[in-house]
């Protein structure tokens, strides 16, 4: 019995030791299980993190592609804009070139116009002097003829008085013929005086028209800019030239009418002179 009791005590102690060991080892198992349980959620979070990272990478890649596309579009648009700017620059350069060409042509035309005006002014001054000389000659002739006619009229009155007092028929007939000739000459001279007066009036009007034309040409010449004055060339208005052109046309028409009248008067004066010569030859 003591042997059996000892064995039971030893079994009991063994069982107690085993139970103690089990009690000691169980928390370790529980810890492992808890670790496993804790690791499983960590693995799920890691997958989500990986997915998030992949999504971020995809979004970043997509964004980079969009940026690259935008840069390409901007570059293409910039290239097109550069072409437009290049075309505009070409047009501006061509416009500037043409403007310079136009300015050169305008300067050349104005230089030619100035030279022509200078020549025309000299010619017009010479014509004005000729007209002035003709007018002076007409006025001198008119004055001389008026004085002569007054003397001839006085002589005619004397002859008429002598004829009335003369009794001798032959002498009276001769005096009457002289009176008739003198009267014809006086009448012709009076016609000449009228024609010369009208001619002098027309010549004087022509002289005034020439003076107006000279003044207009001087004004236009003085308004012309110098060919080397670029600013003045650009600002020059052709209105003064147009006004001169219109005035010259009007003046030419007026002078043409005056010349026509003067030609008619000259013809009439020539006829009167022929008539006077005929009367003198008959006397």
């Amino acid at each position: 019995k003591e042997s059996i009791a000892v064995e039971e005590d030893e079994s009991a102690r063994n069982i107690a030791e085993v139970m103690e060991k089990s009690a000691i080892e169980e928390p370790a198992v529980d810890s492992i299980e808890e670790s496993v349980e804790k690791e499983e959620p960590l693995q799920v979070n890691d997958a989500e993190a990986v997915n998030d990272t992949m999504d971020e990478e995809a979004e970043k890649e997509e964004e980079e592609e969009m940026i690259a596309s935008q840069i390409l579009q901007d570059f293409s648009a910039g290239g097109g804009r550069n072409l437009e700017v290049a075309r505009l620059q070409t047009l501006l350069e061509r416009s500037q070139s043409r403007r310079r060409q136009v300015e050169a042509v305008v300067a050349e035309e104005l230089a030619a116009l100035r030279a022509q005006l200078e020549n025309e002014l000299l010619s017009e001054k010479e014509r004005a002097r000729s007209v002035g000389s003709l007018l002076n000659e007409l006025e001198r002739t008119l004055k001389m003829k008026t004085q002569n006619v007054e003397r001839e009229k006085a002589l005619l009155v004397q002859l008429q008085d002598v004829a009335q007092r003369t009794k001798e028929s032959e002498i009276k007939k001769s005096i009457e013929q002289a009176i008739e000739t003198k009267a014809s000459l006086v009448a012709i001279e009076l016609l000449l005086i009228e024609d010369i007066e009208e001619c002098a009036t027309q010549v004087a009007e022509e002289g005034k028209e020439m003076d107006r034309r000279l003044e207009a040409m001087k004004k236009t010449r003085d308004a012309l800019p110098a060919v080397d004055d670029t600013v003045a060339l650009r600002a020059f208005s052709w209105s003064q030239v147009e006004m001169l052109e219109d005035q010259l046309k009007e003046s030419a028409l007026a002078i043409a009418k005056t010349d026509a009248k003067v030609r008619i008067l000259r013809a009439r004066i020539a006829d009167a002179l022929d008539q006077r010569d005929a009367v003198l030859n008959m006397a």
Side-chain angles (χ1 to χ4, degrees):
K1 288 181 180 178
E2 289 178 359
S3 174
I4 293 169
V6 172
E7 291 177 1
E8 287 177 357
D9 289 337
E10 291 179 357
S11 296
R13 283 194 297 273
N14 291 333
I15 292 169
E17 290 177 359
V18 169
M19 289 178 67
E20 287 177 1
K21 290 181 180 179
S22 298
I24 294 172
E25 292 177 355
E26 280 179 354
V29 172
D30 292 337
S31 177
I32 292 170
E33 290 178 353
E34 289 177 0
S35 176
V36 171
E37 289 177 356
K38 290 181 180 179
E39 287 179 356
E40 288 179 354
L42 288 174
Q43 291 176 356
V44 173
N45 291 334
D46 290 342
E48 290 178 355
V50 170
N51 290 333
D52 291 340
T53 302
M54 291 178 65
D55 291 338
E56 290 177 0
E57 293 293 333
E59 290 177 359
K60 187 181 294 184
E61 185 178 355
E62 184 178 355
E63 185 177 356
E64 291 177 353
E65 289 178 354
M66 290 177 62
I67 293 173
S69 177
Q70 184 64 39
I71 292 173
L72 181 60
Q73 291 178 0
D74 292 342
F75 180 78
S76 299
R81 180 60 180 163
N82 289 336
L83 288 176
E84 293 178 0
V85 172
R87 292 194 192 97
L88 177 59
Q89 186 175 3
T90 301
L91 288 175
L92 290 174
E93 290 176 354
R94 186 173 63 184
S95 299
Q96 292 293 331
S97 177
R98 288 181 177 177
R99 178 183 60 78
R100 287 190 291 269
Q101 291 175 358
V102 169
E103 288 177 354
V105 171
V106 170
E108 183 179 352
E109 289 298 321
L110 289 177
L113 179 59
R114 182 186 292 276
Q116 184 63 33
L117 281 173
E118 293 289 353
N119 293 333
E120 190 61 27
L121 280 169
L122 292 175
S123 300
E124 194 71 9
K125 288 178 182 178
E126 185 62 31
R127 286 193 292 269
R129 281 194 291 269
S130 298
V131 168
S133 298
L134 176 59
L135 182 60
N136 291 334
E137 183 65 23
L138 289 173
E139 290 175 349
R140 187 183 67 80
T141 301
L142 184 62
K143 182 178 180 179
M144 182 183 65
K145 284 190 172 296
T146 300
Q147 293 174 352
N148 290 338
V149 165
E150 292 299 325
R151 287 196 298 268
E152 294 296 326
K153 288 169 68 176
L155 182 58
L156 182 60
V157 171
Q158 292 177 2
L159 288 174
Q160 289 174 346
D161 182 62
V162 171
Q164 289 178 358
R165 288 181 294 153
T166 300
K167 304 298 182 179
E168 184 72 33
S169 59
E170 291 294 330
I171 296 175
K172 188 173 184 177
K173 183 178 180 180
S174 177
I175 294 174
E176 289 177 348
Q177 289 178 349
I179 291 174
E180 183 178 358
T181 300
K182 184 63 67 177
S184 297
L185 290 173
V186 169
I188 291 172
E189 289 296 322
L190 290 173
L191 290 174
L192 281 171
I193 288 173
E194 290 180 1
D195 291 341
I196 291 172
E197 285 179 343
E198 187 176 355
C199 185
T201 300
Q202 295 299 324
V203 171
E205 185 61 31
E206 184 173 347
K208 292 178 181 179
E209 192 65 38
M210 285 183 175
D211 290 339
R212 286 192 289 270
R213 190 161 60 184
L214 276 169
E215 187 63 27
M217 285 191 289
K218 288 179 181 178
K219 186 176 180 180
T220 302
R221 180 200 59 187
D222 295 339
L224 296 179
V227 294
D228 56 350
D229 191 345
T230 305
V231 176
L233 285 173
R234 293 175 182 173
F236 177 70
S237 174
W238 289 87
S239 58
Q240 185 65 42
V241 177
E242 293 172 355
M243 289 174 59
L244 175 62
E245 183 180 6
D246 294 337
Q247 189 168 356
L248 289 179
K249 288 179 181 178
E250 294 176 0
S251 179
L253 291 174
I255 290 178
K257 292 179 181 179
T258 301
D259 287 343
K261 291 179 181 179
V262 170
R263 283 196 297 270
I264 293 173
L265 290 171
R266 286 174 178 172
R268 284 165 52 180
I269 291 172
D271 290 340
L273 292 174
D274 290 340
Q275 290 176 13
R276 186 189 64 178
D277 293 340
V279 170
L280 289 174
N281 291 330
M282 292 175 60

